[in-house]
Amino acid sequence: MKKGMAVMLAGLKRKLAAGVAVMTVVMTPMAASAESLTDALVAAYKHSGLLEQNRALLRAADEDVAVAVAALRPIINYALSASYTDPTTVAPNDDYFGASATLSADLVLYDFGRSQLGIDLAKETVLATREALVTVEQSVLLVAVAAFMDVRTAIDSIALQTNNVRLITQELRAANDRFEVGEVTQTDVSQAEARLAAARAAEAAAQGQLMIAREAYRAATGHYPGPLSTPPAPPMAAKTLDAAKGIARRTHPDMLRAQREVTIAELSVQVALSTMKPTLSGAASMTLSTGGQMDTESRRTQLGVTLSGPLYQGGKLSALYRRALAQADATRANLHVVRLTIDQNVGTAWAQLAIARAQIEATDRQIRASRVALRGAREEASLGARTTLDVLNAEQELLDAEDARISAQSDQYLAIYSLLRSMGLLTADHLRLGIPTYDPTAYYNAVSGAPTHQVSPQGEKLDAVLKALGRQ
């Protein structure tokens, strides 16, 4: 049964090793070409389809401002018509043609500020959407950090487990030699064989974890990892927990977005109230017509103003107004919820960072003590005062301590960047990645004046912005 298990584990190891061998070919260029954490963040920023999606949603919100601005401008329409008439009479040549052309214009003269409120509402929505884009950017960069650290952790774990297999193989060989001369029993040999099988299983699991981490890295950055360099010193976040919370309340995009949403809700209340008021509009039209039985031409010009407004709509407008008031109350309450959530996230990230640092310090001491214990166990075993199991247990304790330190180091980096995210600082600009970043104002400035595309000078500016965005 032991041999069957060993064969099965060896087969699994060979399969995973084949995949890792392909990775090794990729990971063996000169150290100078090693990919850094900054490289991974830059790749994630450029590759992310989620960022592209939300940038497009922001441009859609920008266009809502143009739509709202258009409500204050005249609406000009034209109509061309032609007809042929053939009366059912016996008179000769009584059929005739007719044609007309109409040009009309309508303009809102006064609507108690409803159109301007629509513009203000659209602008606040744009600002809120920009904050949502920053939230997405933070998530994308944090995923890239996690992917980078997972690959490095998996590589370090493989090296650790491979070394453990080598050491236990030596212990097994020594146990067999001592068994042949009668110094130990078959039990000692079997215990070494069992530990070797477990070590090979752990090595295979580590190799499989690297394959999983590589796929996550590709999803985050758009490419598989090559050799990864040691992460740089993590950026500073804040000196105290209270300072971190204070920064988060001022700068976190979720808080800024919630504040914008309160303003949007208050404007929506005013819009709902303004719908109950009348609208004064003006209209002008001119119609040219020709043809008919008398083959005449005529021109008709019409000017007029209209005052219109609701008298009774079954309580609909009042219900919409009350609904807007309720939604405003909800958004104000949400502002409090968001603040508590941000404080909680900062506190959690701060605690995780403290835990990781404490774990690194503790595992360092554990590793030093375990190495001393292992040396002693080996020396005592050579004198017959310790068994093979004692030596194997000492090796396992050292392995566990070294593996815990690898995880703690990864957790420390992830906790630092999670803290930056909880403070609203995990952005390409704050991290100084040294790349051109997306300018959310470029498209807005091109369309906020509602330009006519490909006709006006503003439309030409819009064309340039679209080309820069790669949309043409």
Side-chain angles (χ1 to χ4, degrees):
M1 180 176 180
K2 292 178 181 177
K3 292 183 178 179
M5 181 179 295
V7 172
M8 180 181 66
L9 289 173
L12 177 59
K13 180 180 176 182
R14 283 193 299 271
K15 291 180 180 179
L16 290 171
V20 175
V22 176
M23 301 175 204
T24 305
V25 174
V26 178
M27 295 183 180
T28 53
M30 296 181 297
S33 62
E35 188 171 0
S36 66
L37 178 57
T38 299
D39 295 332
L41 292 172
V42 169
Y45 185 85
K46 293 180 178 179
H47 162 75
S48 175
L50 188 60
L51 275 175
E52 287 296 327
Q53 176 190 10
N54 282 270
R55 288 166 184 165
L57 292 176
L58 176 57
R59 293 195 294 273
D62 293 341
E63 294 291 356
D64 288 337
V65 177
V67 172
V69 169
L72 291 174
R73 297 178 178 176
I75 299 174
I76 301 175
N77 293 310
Y78 70 91
L80 302 176
S81 64
S83 62
Y84 169 74
T85 304
D86 186 8
T88 56
T89 63
V90 297
N93 301 323
D94 59 350
D95 56 331
Y96 56 90
F97 288 90
S100 66
T102 301
L103 183 65
S104 62
D106 296 278
L107 176 64
V108 174
L109 299 177
Y110 187 69
D111 59 359
F112 292 89
R114 184 164 59 249
S115 297
Q116 184 59 51
L117 285 172
I119 296 174
D120 296 338
L121 185 63
K123 289 181 177 179
E124 287 295 328
T125 302
V126 166
L127 296 176
T129 309
R130 289 181 186 176
E131 299 303 336
L133 179 60
V134 177
T135 298
V136 173
E137 179 183 343
Q138 291 203 126
S139 298
V140 167
L141 295 180
L142 185 61
V143 168
V145 172
F148 183 92
M149 297 309 302
D150 285 347
V151 172
R152 279 195 54 87
T153 299
I155 293 174
D156 292 343
S157 295
I158 288 177
L160 185 63
Q161 297 297 340
T162 300
N163 184 59
N164 187 50
V165 169
R166 181 182 61 81
L167 292 176
I168 296 179
T169 300
Q170 294 174 353
E171 294 292 341
L172 176 59
R173 187 179 299 112
N176 280 319
D177 293 341
R178 296 172 66 188
F179 173 71
E180 291 178 358
V181 297
E183 293 183 1
V184 297
T185 65
Q186 182 62 44
T187 301
D188 294 283
V189 176
S190 297
Q191 288 171 340
E193 289 176 344
R195 286 295 177 89
L196 180 58
R200 286 173 174 166
E203 183 185 19
Q207 291 171 343
Q209 193 60 42
L210 176 58
M211 297 174 70
I212 294 173
R214 279 170 52 82
E215 294 299 331
Y217 189 93
R218 181 176 182 271
T221 65
H223 64 274
Y224 286 111
L228 301 182
S229 63
T230 302
M236 290 294 295
K239 294 183 178 180
T240 65
L241 176 58
D242 290 338
K245 288 182 178 180
I247 294 173
R249 292 168 187 167
R250 295 191 304 270
T251 65
H252 200 284
D254 289 350
M255 175 61 73
L256 299 178
R257 182 184 182 186
Q259 293 171 347
R260 295 293 180 187
E261 288 174 345
V262 170
T263 303
I264 290 171
E266 292 172 348
L267 288 172
S268 297
V269 171
Q270 299 180 46
V271 170
L273 186 62
S274 67
T275 58
M276 302 178 184
K277 299 177 180 179
T279 300
L280 179 65
S281 59
S285 65
M286 182 176 67
T287 302
L288 299 176
S289 59
T290 183
Q293 287 182 317
M294 304 300 294
D295 194 19
T296 58
E297 294 184 1
S298 63
R299 182 178 66 182
R300 183 181 64 181
T301 301
Q302 184 175 1
L303 300 173
V305 293
T306 302
L307 181 66
S308 62
L311 289 178
Y312 178 72
Q313 294 191 6
K316 174 184 175 181
L317 298 181
S318 297
L320 291 175
Y321 175 66
R322 293 192 300 271
R323 184 182 71 176
L325 288 173
Q327 289 175 337
D329 291 339
T331 54
R332 281 190 286 269
N334 181 62
L335 189 62
H336 178 66
V337 173
V338 170
R339 177 177 177 176
L340 290 178
T341 301
I342 289 175
D343 285 350
Q344 179 186 1
N345 291 340
V346 172
T348 300
W350 190 272
Q352 289 172 340
L353 179 57
I355 292 171
R357 287 172 174 169
Q359 286 178 333
I360 291 176
E361 183 179 351
T363 52
D364 284 341
R365 291 196 298 267
Q366 184 182 359
I367 289 171
R368 289 193 296 269
S370 296
R371 285 174 178 167
V372 173
L374 178 57
R375 284 196 300 268
R378 284 173 176 167
E379 292 175 359
E380 293 171 2
S382 66
L383 299 174
R386 292 280 183 177
T387 65
T388 301
L389 181 59
D390 293 328
V391 176
L392 293 173
N393 286 339
E395 289 179 346
Q396 186 63 46
E397 289 179 0
L398 177 58
L399 175 69
D400 291 343
E402 291 174 338
D403 188 61
R405 192 182 193 286
I406 291 173
S407 298
Q409 285 178 321
S410 177
D411 291 343
Q412 181 186 27
Y413 270 92
L414 192 58
I416 289 174
Y417 283 95
S418 295
L419 178 59
L420 287 173
R421 181 195 181 191
S422 68
M423 295 168 61
L425 301 179
L426 189 59
T427 62
D429 289 334
H430 181 77
L431 295 178
R432 298 180 180 178
L433 297 183
I435 57 173
T437 55
Y438 183 81
D439 182 6
T441 64
Y443 189 85
Y444 174 84
N445 292 336
V447 303
S448 60
T452 303
H453 184 47
Q454 293 180 344
V455 176
S456 63
Q458 294 85 357
E460 295 176 359
K461 180 180 178 182
L462 174 59
D463 292 339
V465 172
L466 290 173
K467 186 176 182 180
L469 292 171
R471 305 294 295 174
Q472 288 187 337

